[in-house]
Structure formats: structure tokens, C-alpha cells
Amino acid sequence: MLAKIRLHAQGKLPADYNRGIGFDGRVCHFLHVEYPALVQRVLTGGSDDEILAWCFEHGRKPSEEEILIFNSFLTKRG
């Protein structure tokens, strides 16, 4: 998702490419962050780890068990 945000900002994604919905929306909902706020944060720069830390600070930090369950859910969704 972060790579898509960066590529879109560089004009390297088709205009109709899905952003902020589907997988992106589920991740944002899981972390309790709004997609537009995440986009703004990504565009200010920083590593993926720094952006994840920002999500934990401005949204929520799920437990290891919640992450395991969420990852399993996404794997089954394809």
C-alpha cells in the first residue's frame, strides 16, 4: 500500500487504479488510521517502519495475536 501511494505521487499508476479501498481500506480500518492522513504521512518521507510507527501512534497498535488473525484473514481473502 505504501509503495502504491509513492508510485501514485510520482504519476506511475493509472488514474483509475484502486487506492484507499479493498486491501488498503481494510489495513487502515485495522490500524484505525484514515487513508488520506496516511497518504499525507507517506508523502512527507520516511521508511516503511517509520510510517508503521506513525500508524501505531495515531491509530492503534494491535497485539501479536490480532496481527496473526488479521494476516490469516487477508491470506484467505486472496
Side-chain angles (χ1 to χ4, degrees):
M1 173 173 56
L2 303 182
K4 284 195 311 187
I5 292 170
R6 293 177 182 118
L7 288 171
H8 180 261
Q10 297 169 7
K12 295 182 179 179
L13 285 181
D16 61 346
Y17 203 88
N18 289 332
R19 295 174 290 111
I21 59 174
F23 174 84
D24 299 351
R26 289 189 185 277
V27 171
C28 288
H29 181 76
F30 179 66
L31 295 174
H32 296 188
V33 295
E34 297 292 326
Y35 185 77
L38 178 61
V39 169
Q40 286 182 327
R41 173 58 188 93
V42 170
L43 296 180
T44 64
S47 69
D48 290 356
D49 287 338
E50 291 170 331
I51 294 166
L52 181 59
W54 178 90
C55 289
F56 291 162
E57 182 181 327
H58 290 86
R60 75 178 191 110
K61 184 175 182 180
S63 70
E64 291 294 322
E65 184 175 5
E66 290 172 313
I67 292 170
L68 176 67
I69 293 167
F70 184 72
N71 286 342
S72 296
F73 167 76
L74 287 181
T75 300
K76 292 177 184 177
R77 297 288 296 175

